[in-house]
Amino acid sequence: MAMESAHEAPGGSCAGSPTGFRRLTPGLLQADRIAGSFAGMPDGVTTHGQLLAAFKSAAPRLGLSPRMVHAVDWLFRFTQPQDWARGGRPIVWPSSSMQQESLGLSVTRAKAINRALIEAGLITMKDSPNGKRYGKRDHKGRIVEAYGFDLSPIAMRHGEFVRLAAEAKAERDELRRLRRRGTIARNGITQILETAAEYGFRGEEWMRLAGDTRDLTKALRRVERPAEMALGVETLERRQRSAREWLENLLAEVTSRASEHVNPDPLGAENGPHQYTYKPSENPKEDTVIAVEEGSSAGGEASASPPTPVRQEPPERGRVLKLHPEELVRLAPRLKPYLRRPDPTWPEIVDAADWLRHELDVSKPLWGEACVAMGREQAAVAIAVVSIKDPAHFRTTPGGYFHGMVAKAKAGELNLDRTLWGMRRAKEPQPPARQEEVSLRARPLQ
Protein backbone atom coordinates (compact mmCIF):
# COMPACT_ATOMS: atom_id res chain seq x y z
CA MET A 1 0.00 0.00 0.00
CA ALA A 2 1.15 3.58 -0.56
CA MET A 3 2.77 5.28 2.41
CA GLU A 4 3.33 8.92 3.32
CA SER A 5 5.94 8.46 6.05
CA ALA A 6 8.89 6.19 6.60
CA HIS A 7 7.33 4.39 9.54
CA GLU A 8 5.77 0.93 9.29
CA ALA A 9 2.07 0.84 9.92
CA PRO A 10 1.33 -1.10 13.11
CA GLY A 11 -0.45 -4.40 12.46
CA GLY A 12 -4.03 -4.77 13.53
CA SER A 13 -4.82 -1.05 13.57
CA CYS A 14 -8.47 -0.21 13.89
CA ALA A 15 -10.19 1.76 11.18
CA GLY A 16 -9.88 5.47 11.85
CA SER A 17 -6.61 5.18 13.78
CA PRO A 18 -3.61 6.97 12.19
CA THR A 19 -1.43 4.46 10.30
CA GLY A 20 0.87 6.65 8.21
CA PHE A 21 -0.45 5.25 4.94
CA ARG A 22 -0.83 7.74 2.09
CA ARG A 23 -4.43 8.89 1.77
CA LEU A 24 -6.25 7.48 -1.26
CA THR A 25 -7.67 10.67 -2.67
CA PRO A 26 -9.68 10.85 -5.94
CA GLY A 27 -6.69 12.50 -7.59
CA LEU A 28 -4.31 9.72 -6.53
CA LEU A 29 -6.69 7.00 -7.68
CA GLN A 30 -7.14 8.67 -11.06
CA ALA A 31 -3.38 9.12 -11.50
CA ASP A 32 -2.87 5.45 -10.62
CA ARG A 33 -5.39 4.41 -13.29
CA ILE A 34 -3.70 6.57 -15.90
CA ALA A 35 -0.25 5.27 -15.00
CA GLY A 36 -1.46 1.66 -15.12
CA SER A 37 -2.10 1.95 -18.88
CA PHE A 38 1.39 3.23 -19.71
CA ALA A 39 2.88 1.36 -22.68
CA GLY A 40 5.64 3.65 -23.87
CA MET A 41 5.55 7.06 -25.52
CA PRO A 42 2.52 8.06 -27.61
CA ASP A 43 2.53 7.82 -31.40
CA GLY A 44 4.47 10.61 -33.04
CA VAL A 45 6.56 11.34 -29.94
CA THR A 46 10.22 10.37 -30.19
CA THR A 47 11.79 11.96 -27.12
CA HIS A 48 10.60 12.60 -23.59
CA GLY A 49 11.59 16.23 -24.12
CA GLN A 50 8.54 16.56 -26.40
CA LEU A 51 6.34 15.35 -23.53
CA LEU A 52 7.78 17.98 -21.21
CA ALA A 53 7.39 20.72 -23.82
CA ALA A 54 3.72 19.83 -24.40
CA PHE A 55 3.10 19.84 -20.64
CA LYS A 56 4.69 23.26 -20.21
CA SER A 57 2.67 24.72 -23.10
CA ALA A 58 -0.57 23.46 -21.54
CA ALA A 59 0.31 24.44 -17.94
CA PRO A 60 -1.29 27.93 -18.06
CA ARG A 61 -4.48 26.42 -19.48
CA LEU A 62 -4.48 23.87 -16.63
CA GLY A 63 -4.09 26.64 -14.06
CA LEU A 64 -0.83 25.24 -12.70
CA SER A 65 1.45 27.45 -10.64
CA PRO A 66 5.03 28.13 -11.82
CA ARG A 67 6.32 26.17 -8.79
CA MET A 68 4.44 23.06 -9.93
CA VAL A 69 5.80 23.39 -13.47
CA HIS A 70 9.31 23.85 -12.10
CA ALA A 71 8.92 20.77 -9.91
CA VAL A 72 7.90 18.58 -12.88
CA ASP A 73 10.75 20.01 -14.97
CA TRP A 74 13.15 19.12 -12.19
CA LEU A 75 11.84 15.53 -11.88
CA PHE A 76 12.22 15.02 -15.64
CA ARG A 77 15.98 15.56 -15.29
CA PHE A 78 16.33 12.21 -13.50
CA THR A 79 14.73 10.17 -16.28
CA GLN A 80 16.55 8.49 -19.15
CA PRO A 81 15.27 7.71 -22.68
CA GLN A 82 14.93 3.97 -21.98
CA ASP A 83 12.61 4.69 -19.04
CA TRP A 84 9.97 5.95 -21.51
CA ALA A 85 10.21 3.02 -23.92
CA ARG A 86 7.69 0.18 -24.06
CA GLY A 87 8.35 -2.16 -21.14
CA GLY A 88 9.96 0.61 -19.08
CA ARG A 89 8.54 2.97 -16.49
CA PRO A 90 9.59 6.59 -15.86
CA ILE A 91 10.07 6.42 -12.09
CA VAL A 92 12.56 8.71 -10.35
CA TRP A 93 13.67 8.63 -6.72
CA PRO A 94 15.34 11.87 -5.61
CA SER A 95 15.40 12.18 -1.82
CA SER A 96 13.23 14.63 0.07
CA SER A 97 16.28 16.60 1.19
CA MET A 98 17.53 16.88 -2.42
CA GLN A 99 14.12 18.07 -3.60
CA GLN A 100 13.87 20.68 -0.86
CA GLU A 101 17.38 21.99 -1.48
CA SER A 102 17.12 22.06 -5.30
CA LEU A 103 13.69 23.71 -5.40
CA GLY A 104 14.23 25.97 -2.39
CA LEU A 105 11.30 24.50 -0.45
CA SER A 106 10.65 23.76 3.17
CA VAL A 107 9.61 20.26 4.25
CA THR A 108 5.97 21.32 4.48
CA ARG A 109 6.04 23.15 1.16
CA ALA A 110 7.70 20.23 -0.66
CA LYS A 111 4.98 17.86 0.60
CA ALA A 112 2.31 20.33 -0.49
CA ILE A 113 3.79 20.57 -4.01
CA ASN A 114 3.92 16.77 -4.31
CA ARG A 115 0.29 16.43 -3.21
CA ALA A 116 -0.75 19.14 -5.69
CA LEU A 117 0.99 17.30 -8.55
CA ILE A 118 -0.81 14.09 -7.58
CA GLU A 119 -4.21 15.77 -7.33
CA ALA A 120 -3.63 17.39 -10.74
CA GLY A 121 -3.14 13.88 -12.19
CA LEU A 122 0.41 14.60 -13.31
CA ILE A 123 2.32 12.08 -11.21
CA THR A 124 1.59 9.14 -8.95
CA MET A 125 3.69 7.60 -6.21
CA LYS A 126 5.15 4.13 -6.02
CA ASP A 127 6.04 3.65 -2.38
CA SER A 128 8.53 1.18 -0.95
CA PRO A 129 7.68 -1.00 2.06
CA ASN A 130 9.52 1.37 4.37
CA GLY A 131 8.28 4.57 2.69
CA LYS A 132 11.75 5.48 1.36
CA ARG A 133 12.50 6.54 -2.21
CA TYR A 134 15.18 4.48 -3.91
CA GLY A 135 15.95 2.56 -7.07
CA LYS A 136 18.68 0.84 -9.07
CA ARG A 137 19.58 0.25 -12.71
CA ASP A 138 21.34 -2.57 -14.52
CA HIS A 139 24.53 -2.24 -16.56
CA LYS A 140 22.48 -0.99 -19.55
CA GLY A 141 20.85 1.73 -17.49
CA ARG A 142 17.45 0.07 -17.35
CA ILE A 143 15.49 0.38 -14.13
CA VAL A 144 15.49 -2.87 -12.21
CA GLU A 145 13.72 -1.63 -9.09
CA ALA A 146 12.40 1.79 -8.26
CA TYR A 147 10.21 3.52 -5.68
CA GLY A 148 9.38 7.19 -5.92
CA PHE A 149 7.70 9.56 -8.40
CA ASP A 150 6.01 7.87 -11.35
CA LEU A 151 5.84 10.33 -14.29
CA SER A 152 3.98 8.06 -16.71
CA PRO A 153 0.66 10.04 -16.40
CA ILE A 154 2.35 12.92 -18.24
CA ALA A 155 3.08 10.62 -21.19
CA MET A 156 -0.47 9.29 -21.18
CA ARG A 157 -1.93 12.81 -21.20
CA HIS A 158 0.24 14.07 -24.05
CA GLY A 159 -2.69 14.37 -26.49
CA GLU A 160 -4.66 16.40 -23.95
CA PHE A 161 -1.71 18.72 -23.40
CA VAL A 162 -1.29 19.29 -27.15
CA ARG A 163 -4.98 20.14 -27.51
CA LEU A 164 -4.94 22.53 -24.54
CA ALA A 165 -1.78 24.22 -25.82
CA ALA A 166 -3.43 24.74 -29.22
CA GLU A 167 -6.51 26.24 -27.54
CA ALA A 168 -4.30 28.53 -25.46
CA LYS A 169 -2.41 29.66 -28.57
CA ALA A 170 -5.66 30.34 -30.43
CA GLU A 171 -6.87 32.39 -27.46
CA ARG A 172 -3.64 34.38 -27.37
CA ASP A 173 -3.85 35.01 -31.11
CA GLU A 174 -7.46 36.17 -30.76
CA LEU A 175 -6.48 38.49 -27.92
CA ARG A 176 -3.66 39.86 -30.05
CA ARG A 177 -6.04 40.56 -32.94
CA LEU A 178 -8.54 42.21 -30.62
CA ARG A 179 -5.84 44.36 -29.00
CA ARG A 180 -4.74 45.45 -32.47
CA ARG A 181 -8.32 46.40 -33.35
CA GLY A 182 -8.58 48.28 -30.07
CA THR A 183 -5.38 50.18 -30.84
CA ILE A 184 -6.68 51.14 -34.30
CA ALA A 185 -9.98 52.34 -32.83
CA ARG A 186 -8.22 54.29 -30.07
CA ASN A 187 -5.88 55.94 -32.60
CA GLY A 188 -8.87 56.78 -34.77
CA ILE A 189 -10.58 58.51 -31.85
CA THR A 190 -7.36 60.37 -31.05
CA GLN A 191 -7.18 61.52 -34.68
CA ILE A 192 -10.78 62.73 -34.50
CA LEU A 193 -10.13 64.61 -31.25
CA GLU A 194 -6.99 66.25 -32.66
CA THR A 195 -8.88 67.34 -35.77
CA ALA A 196 -11.73 68.72 -33.68
CA ALA A 197 -9.24 70.69 -31.58
CA GLU A 198 -7.54 72.11 -34.68
CA TYR A 199 -10.88 73.33 -35.99
CA GLY A 200 -11.71 74.82 -32.61
CA PHE A 201 -14.61 72.51 -31.88
CA ARG A 202 -15.22 72.58 -28.15
CA GLY A 203 -17.84 71.07 -25.92
CA GLU A 204 -18.57 68.66 -23.14
CA GLU A 205 -19.18 65.84 -25.63
CA TRP A 206 -15.58 65.95 -26.90
CA MET A 207 -14.22 65.97 -23.34
CA ARG A 208 -16.44 63.03 -22.40
CA LEU A 209 -15.30 61.10 -25.48
CA ALA A 210 -11.65 61.66 -24.53
CA GLY A 211 -12.24 60.62 -20.91
CA ASP A 212 -14.28 57.54 -21.77
CA THR A 213 -11.70 56.43 -24.33
CA ARG A 214 -8.90 56.83 -21.80
CA ASP A 215 -10.77 54.87 -19.10
CA LEU A 216 -11.82 52.08 -21.45
CA THR A 217 -8.31 51.72 -22.87
CA LYS A 218 -6.90 51.46 -19.35
CA ALA A 219 -9.47 48.80 -18.40
CA LEU A 220 -8.75 46.74 -21.53
CA ARG A 221 -5.08 46.42 -20.55
CA ARG A 222 -6.15 44.19 -17.64
CA VAL A 223 -8.51 41.98 -19.66
CA GLU A 224 -7.26 38.48 -20.49
CA ARG A 225 -10.44 36.81 -21.79
CA PRO A 226 -11.28 37.20 -25.50
CA ALA A 227 -15.04 37.57 -24.88
CA GLU A 228 -14.51 40.49 -22.49
CA MET A 229 -11.90 42.03 -24.78
CA ALA A 230 -14.29 41.80 -27.76
CA LEU A 231 -16.98 43.72 -25.86
CA GLY A 232 -14.57 46.52 -24.99
CA VAL A 233 -13.11 46.74 -28.50
CA GLU A 234 -16.56 46.84 -30.08
CA THR A 235 -17.47 49.68 -27.74
CA LEU A 236 -14.38 51.63 -28.83
CA GLU A 237 -15.12 51.01 -32.51
CA ARG A 238 -18.75 52.07 -32.07
CA ARG A 239 -17.67 55.33 -30.43
CA GLN A 240 -15.12 55.92 -33.15
CA ARG A 241 -17.79 55.55 -35.85
CA SER A 242 -20.18 57.87 -34.03
CA ALA A 243 -17.48 60.48 -33.41
CA ARG A 244 -16.32 60.34 -37.03
CA GLU A 245 -19.87 60.85 -38.30
CA TRP A 246 -20.31 63.74 -35.90
CA LEU A 247 -17.03 65.33 -37.04
CA GLU A 248 -17.92 64.90 -40.71
CA ASN A 249 -21.20 66.72 -40.15
CA LEU A 250 -19.40 69.58 -38.41
CA LEU A 251 -16.79 69.78 -41.17
CA ALA A 252 -19.55 69.85 -43.79
CA GLU A 253 -20.99 72.90 -42.03
CA VAL A 254 -17.54 74.53 -41.92
CA THR A 255 -17.00 73.86 -45.62
CA SER A 256 -20.41 75.27 -46.45
CA ARG A 257 -19.66 78.48 -44.52
CA ALA A 258 -16.16 78.67 -45.99
CA SER A 259 -17.56 78.70 -49.53
CA GLU A 260 -18.95 82.14 -48.74
CA HIS A 261 -15.55 83.52 -47.71
CA VAL A 262 -12.32 83.20 -49.68
CA ASN A 263 -9.38 81.79 -47.71
CA PRO A 264 -6.38 84.01 -48.56
CA ASP A 265 -3.84 81.19 -48.09
CA PRO A 266 -5.40 77.72 -48.30
CA LEU A 267 -2.07 75.93 -48.51
CA GLY A 268 -0.12 77.73 -45.78
CA ALA A 269 3.38 79.14 -46.11
CA GLU A 270 5.39 78.00 -49.13
CA ASN A 271 7.24 74.70 -48.49
CA GLY A 272 5.76 74.57 -44.98
CA PRO A 273 3.96 71.56 -43.46
CA HIS A 274 0.35 71.38 -44.52
CA GLN A 275 -2.18 72.25 -41.82
CA TYR A 276 -5.83 71.25 -41.44
CA THR A 277 -7.61 74.13 -43.11
CA TYR A 278 -9.93 72.33 -45.49
CA LYS A 279 -11.27 75.73 -46.64
CA PRO A 280 -10.19 75.76 -50.31
CA SER A 281 -10.97 78.78 -52.38
CA GLU A 282 -13.80 78.64 -54.85
CA ASN A 283 -12.13 81.46 -56.81
CA PRO A 284 -10.34 79.96 -59.86
CA LYS A 285 -8.18 83.06 -60.23
CA GLU A 286 -6.84 82.65 -56.73
CA ASP A 287 -5.98 78.99 -57.39
CA THR A 288 -4.01 80.10 -60.44
CA VAL A 289 -2.09 82.75 -58.49
CA ILE A 290 -1.13 80.18 -55.88
CA ALA A 291 0.05 77.75 -58.57
CA VAL A 292 2.25 80.40 -60.17
CA GLU A 293 3.69 81.56 -56.86
CA GLU A 294 4.72 78.00 -55.94
CA GLY A 295 7.71 78.48 -58.28
CA SER A 296 7.74 75.03 -59.91
CA SER A 297 5.89 72.87 -62.41
CA ALA A 298 4.18 71.21 -59.43
CA GLY A 299 1.63 74.01 -59.08
CA GLY A 300 -2.09 73.56 -58.46
CA GLU A 301 -4.42 73.02 -61.37
CA ALA A 302 -6.25 76.24 -62.18
CA SER A 303 -9.63 76.49 -63.80
CA ALA A 304 -8.83 79.87 -65.43
CA SER A 305 -5.78 81.86 -66.52
CA PRO A 306 -4.44 84.58 -64.21
CA PRO A 307 -5.52 88.07 -65.22
CA THR A 308 -1.98 89.46 -65.32
CA PRO A 309 0.63 86.66 -65.08
CA VAL A 310 3.90 87.81 -63.62
CA ARG A 311 6.00 85.20 -65.44
CA GLN A 312 5.75 82.62 -68.19
CA GLU A 313 3.24 79.88 -67.42
CA PRO A 314 4.89 76.40 -67.27
CA PRO A 315 4.40 74.33 -70.47
CA GLU A 316 2.72 71.47 -68.54
CA ARG A 317 0.53 73.59 -66.34
CA GLY A 318 -1.54 71.58 -63.85
CA ARG A 319 0.78 68.54 -63.96
CA VAL A 320 3.19 67.21 -61.34
CA LEU A 321 5.71 64.64 -62.48
CA LYS A 322 3.80 64.60 -65.82
CA LEU A 323 0.72 63.57 -63.86
CA HIS A 324 -2.72 65.19 -63.70
CA PRO A 325 -4.65 65.13 -60.40
CA GLU A 326 -7.45 63.03 -61.92
CA GLU A 327 -4.96 60.38 -63.06
CA LEU A 328 -3.43 60.20 -59.59
CA VAL A 329 -6.88 59.53 -58.13
CA ARG A 330 -7.41 56.73 -60.65
CA LEU A 331 -4.04 55.21 -59.75
CA ALA A 332 -4.57 55.63 -55.98
CA PRO A 333 -8.34 55.34 -55.32
CA ARG A 334 -7.90 55.62 -51.53
CA LEU A 335 -7.64 59.38 -52.07
CA LYS A 336 -11.19 59.52 -53.44
CA PRO A 337 -13.14 59.47 -50.11
CA TYR A 338 -11.32 62.63 -49.04
CA LEU A 339 -12.15 64.60 -52.19
CA ARG A 340 -15.31 66.62 -52.81
CA ARG A 341 -15.38 66.37 -56.60
CA PRO A 342 -14.12 64.03 -59.34
CA ASP A 343 -11.87 66.67 -60.97
CA PRO A 344 -9.75 67.91 -58.03
CA THR A 345 -7.02 70.50 -58.14
CA TRP A 346 -3.57 69.86 -56.71
CA PRO A 347 -4.36 71.85 -53.55
CA GLU A 348 -7.33 69.53 -52.98
CA ILE A 349 -5.11 66.51 -53.65
CA VAL A 350 -2.72 67.79 -50.98
CA ASP A 351 -5.63 68.17 -48.53
CA ALA A 352 -6.81 64.64 -49.29
CA ALA A 353 -3.30 63.23 -48.85
CA ASP A 354 -3.05 64.96 -45.47
CA TRP A 355 -6.19 63.07 -44.38
CA LEU A 356 -5.05 59.81 -45.96
CA ARG A 357 -1.72 59.92 -44.13
CA HIS A 358 -3.66 59.57 -40.83
CA GLU A 359 -5.12 56.32 -42.13
CA LEU A 360 -1.61 55.14 -43.05
CA ASP A 361 -0.18 56.02 -39.60
CA VAL A 362 2.09 58.74 -41.01
CA SER A 363 2.74 61.28 -38.27
CA LYS A 364 2.16 64.99 -38.75
CA PRO A 365 5.86 65.90 -38.18
CA LEU A 366 6.91 63.35 -40.83
CA TRP A 367 4.34 64.76 -43.24
CA GLY A 368 5.82 68.20 -42.63
CA GLU A 369 9.33 66.88 -43.37
CA ALA A 370 8.04 65.34 -46.61
CA CYS A 371 6.45 68.64 -47.70
CA VAL A 372 9.75 70.44 -47.10
CA ALA A 373 11.89 67.76 -48.77
CA MET A 374 9.70 67.09 -51.83
CA GLY A 375 7.22 69.92 -52.06
CA ARG A 376 3.58 69.48 -51.06
CA GLU A 377 2.36 68.02 -54.35
CA GLN A 378 5.10 65.40 -54.61
CA ALA A 379 4.60 64.55 -50.92
CA ALA A 380 0.94 63.91 -51.77
CA VAL A 381 2.03 61.69 -54.67
CA ALA A 382 4.31 59.76 -52.28
CA ILE A 383 1.40 59.22 -49.86
CA ALA A 384 -0.68 57.95 -52.80
CA VAL A 385 2.10 55.51 -53.70
CA VAL A 386 2.17 54.14 -50.15
CA SER A 387 -1.63 53.76 -50.14
CA ILE A 388 -1.68 51.26 -53.03
CA LYS A 389 0.97 48.95 -51.56
CA ASP A 390 -0.14 45.56 -50.28
CA PRO A 391 0.25 45.35 -46.44
CA ALA A 392 2.63 42.41 -46.93
CA HIS A 393 4.95 44.73 -48.85
CA PHE A 394 5.92 46.67 -45.72
CA ARG A 395 8.68 45.41 -43.45
CA THR A 396 7.31 47.44 -40.55
CA THR A 397 4.38 49.81 -41.19
CA PRO A 398 3.18 52.11 -43.98
CA GLY A 399 4.48 54.99 -41.87
CA GLY A 400 7.93 53.39 -41.73
CA TYR A 401 7.91 52.91 -45.50
CA PHE A 402 6.99 56.58 -46.03
CA HIS A 403 9.80 57.56 -43.65
CA GLY A 404 12.21 55.72 -45.95
CA MET A 405 10.85 57.62 -48.97
CA VAL A 406 11.39 60.93 -47.16
CA ALA A 407 14.96 59.94 -46.29
CA LYS A 408 15.64 59.10 -49.94
CA ALA A 409 14.13 62.42 -51.02
CA LYS A 410 16.45 64.29 -48.64
CA ALA A 411 19.40 62.39 -50.11
CA GLY A 412 18.25 63.09 -53.68
CA GLU A 413 17.68 59.37 -54.35
CA LEU A 414 13.88 59.20 -54.60
CA ASN A 415 12.62 58.46 -58.12
CA LEU A 416 8.84 58.85 -58.17
CA ASP A 417 8.74 58.92 -61.99
CA ARG A 418 9.72 55.25 -62.18
CA THR A 419 7.17 54.33 -59.52
CA LEU A 420 4.39 56.18 -61.33
CA TRP A 421 5.30 54.43 -64.57
CA GLY A 422 4.93 51.08 -62.78
CA MET A 423 1.58 52.15 -61.34
CA ARG A 424 0.33 53.03 -64.83
CA ARG A 425 1.49 49.70 -66.23
CA ALA A 426 -0.28 47.85 -63.41
CA LYS A 427 -3.56 49.61 -64.28
CA GLU A 428 -3.33 48.85 -68.00
CA PRO A 429 -5.61 45.97 -69.16
CA GLN A 430 -3.66 42.96 -70.35
CA PRO A 431 -4.25 42.25 -74.09
CA PRO A 432 -5.77 38.83 -74.83
CA ALA A 433 -3.49 36.23 -76.33
CA ARG A 434 -3.68 36.07 -80.12
CA GLN A 435 -5.46 33.06 -81.59
CA GLU A 436 -2.40 31.81 -83.46
CA GLU A 437 -0.33 31.90 -80.26
CA VAL A 438 -3.00 29.85 -78.48
CA SER A 439 -3.02 27.36 -81.35
CA LEU A 440 0.76 27.02 -81.27
CA ARG A 441 0.75 26.45 -77.52
CA ALA A 442 -1.98 23.84 -77.84
CA ARG A 443 -0.31 22.01 -80.77
CA PRO A 444 1.78 18.98 -79.62
CA LEU A 445 5.44 18.86 -80.53
CA GLN A 446 6.29 16.72 -83.55
Side-chain angles (χ1 to χ4, degrees):
M1 247 188 161
M3 297 187 66
E4 181 71 38
S5 68
H7 299 292
E8 289 276 356
S13 296
C14 298
S17 302
T19 62
F21 291 124
R22 193 185 306 278
R23 181 177 298 174
L24 295 175
T25 63
L28 178 59
L29 293 173
Q30 182 182 9
D32 279 342
R33 284 195 300 271
I34 296 173
S37 58
F38 177 77
M41 286 193 290
D43 294 339
V45 179
T46 56
T47 67
H48 59 287
Q50 292 173 259
L51 300 174
L52 180 61
F55 160 73
K56 287 183 174 181
S57 297
R61 194 78 171 179
L62 290 167
L64 303 179
S65 68
R67 280 189 179 273
M68 293 174 68
V69 177
H70 187 201
V72 171
D73 193 354
W74 181 74
L75 292 173
F76 257 73
R77 300 176 190 178
F78 296 94
T79 66
Q80 297 183 16
Q82 61 271 20
D83 301 342
W84 300 91
R86 183 178 294 273
R89 196 65 173 257
I91 299 176
V92 296
W93 52 91
S95 65
S96 297
S97 59
M98 181 186 295
Q99 183 184 28
Q100 294 158 27
E101 183 179 351
S102 299
L103 300 180
L105 302 172
S106 64
V107 175
T108 303
R109 189 60 183 159
K111 289 183 177 181
I113 289 288
N114 294 340
R115 283 195 297 271
L117 293 176
I118 293 171
E119 292 303 313
L122 300 172
I123 66 170
T124 187
M125 300 299 298
K126 184 177 181 182
D127 290 308
S128 66
N130 62 3
K132 300 287 187 181
R133 303 174 196 161
Y134 66 88
K136 57 183 178 180
R137 298 178 182 271
D138 61 15
H139 65 285
K140 292 185 178 180
R142 294 174 298 193
I143 295 176
V144 176
E145 184 179 14
Y147 299 95
F149 300 96
D150 187 345
L151 305 179
S152 54
I154 293 179
M156 301 305 298
R157 295 179 63 182
H158 175 262
E160 176 192 356
F161 295 154
V162 170
R163 176 180 58 80
L164 291 174
E167 291 176 359
K169 181 180 183 303
E171 187 173 285
R172 290 194 301 272
D173 291 343
E174 179 64 14
L175 276 172
R176 193 177 299 112
R177 284 191 292 269
L178 287 169
R179 291 189 191 282
R180 189 180 301 116
R181 280 176 52 189
T183 299
I184 292 172
R186 184 195 66 206
N187 290 344
I189 292 174
T190 301
Q191 174 188 356
I192 291 169
L193 291 170
E194 288 179 353
T195 305
E198 290 176 9
Y199 273 90
F201 299 147
R202 299 287 186 270
E204 182 182 347
E205 296 85 354
W206 296 109
M207 296 176 62
R208 185 164 58 248
L209 174 63
D212 290 348
T213 302
R214 182 173 56 252
D215 294 342
L216 187 54
T217 301
K218 184 177 180 181
L220 286 177
R221 294 194 187 105
R222 300 190 295 269
V223 174
E224 295 296 335
R225 298 174 64 87
E228 297 176 7
M229 178 66 71
L231 286 175
V233 169
E234 289 167 3
T235 300
L236 273 177
E237 290 174 337
R238 188 164 55 250
R239 295 189 179 187
Q240 179 196 10
R241 289 192 297 270
S242 299
R244 187 181 182 96
E245 182 179 355
W246 186 23
L247 178 65
E248 288 174 353
N249 292 335
L250 292 173
L251 289 177
E253 295 178 9
V254 170
T255 303
S256 177
R257 291 196 302 269
S259 64
E260 303 173 4
H261 305 281
V262 174
N263 184 357
D265 186 12
L267 291 182
E270 184 173 4
N271 295 328
H274 178 66
Q275 301 293 325
Y276 286 106
T277 57
Y278 248 76
K279 300 178 182 177
S281 171
E282 295 293 329
N283 187 340
K285 294 182 179 181
E286 184 169 274
D287 285 342
T288 305
V289 172
I290 292 172
V292 173
E293 289 180 351
E294 294 258 305
S296 71
S297 62
E301 183 186 39
S303 57
S305 300
T308 309
V310 178
R311 57 190 176 191
Q312 184 66 35
E313 196 173 23
E316 294 183 339
R317 180 169 162 267
R319 302 177 72 185
V320 173
L321 299 172
K322 301 180 180 179
L323 181 74
H324 281 292
E326 298 93 329
E327 184 183 8
L328 180 61
V329 177
R330 287 196 299 271
L331 295 175
R334 289 177 70 177
L335 285 167
K336 190 177 297 183
Y338 302 107
L339 293 167
R340 299 190 306 278
R341 55 182 178 174
D343 55 341
T345 62
W346 278 110
E348 290 169 336
I349 289 289
V350 173
D351 279 331
D354 194 5
W355 281 96
L356 180 58
R357 61 99 181 166
H358 278 288
E359 186 179 331
L360 299 174
D361 290 331
V362 173
S363 68
K364 193 168 185 177
L366 181 58
W367 169 248
E369 290 181 32
C371 290
V372 173
M374 309 177 197
R376 287 186 290 278
E377 290 80 7
Q378 291 197 34
V381 173
I383 284 288
V385 169
V386 176
S387 73
I388 69 166
K389 298 291 184 182
D390 187 275
H393 181 79
F394 305 116
R395 292 184 180 178
T396 54
T397 63
Y401 187 86
F402 186 72
H403 184 275
M405 296 179 73
V406 175
K408 284 188 175 182
K410 290 180 178 178
E413 300 173 355
L414 184 64
N415 191 343
L416 286 175
D417 291 306
R418 184 186 306 169
T419 304
L420 292 171
W421 180 82
M423 291 167 64
R424 290 187 179 104
R425 288 292 302 272
K427 286 287 186 179
E428 290 177 359
Q430 297 299 319
R434 290 183 298 178
Q435 184 63 38
E436 55 268 25
E437 292 177 351
V438 174
S439 300
L440 286 173
R441 286 199 296 269
R443 187 181 305 162
L445 296 174
Q446 300 298 326

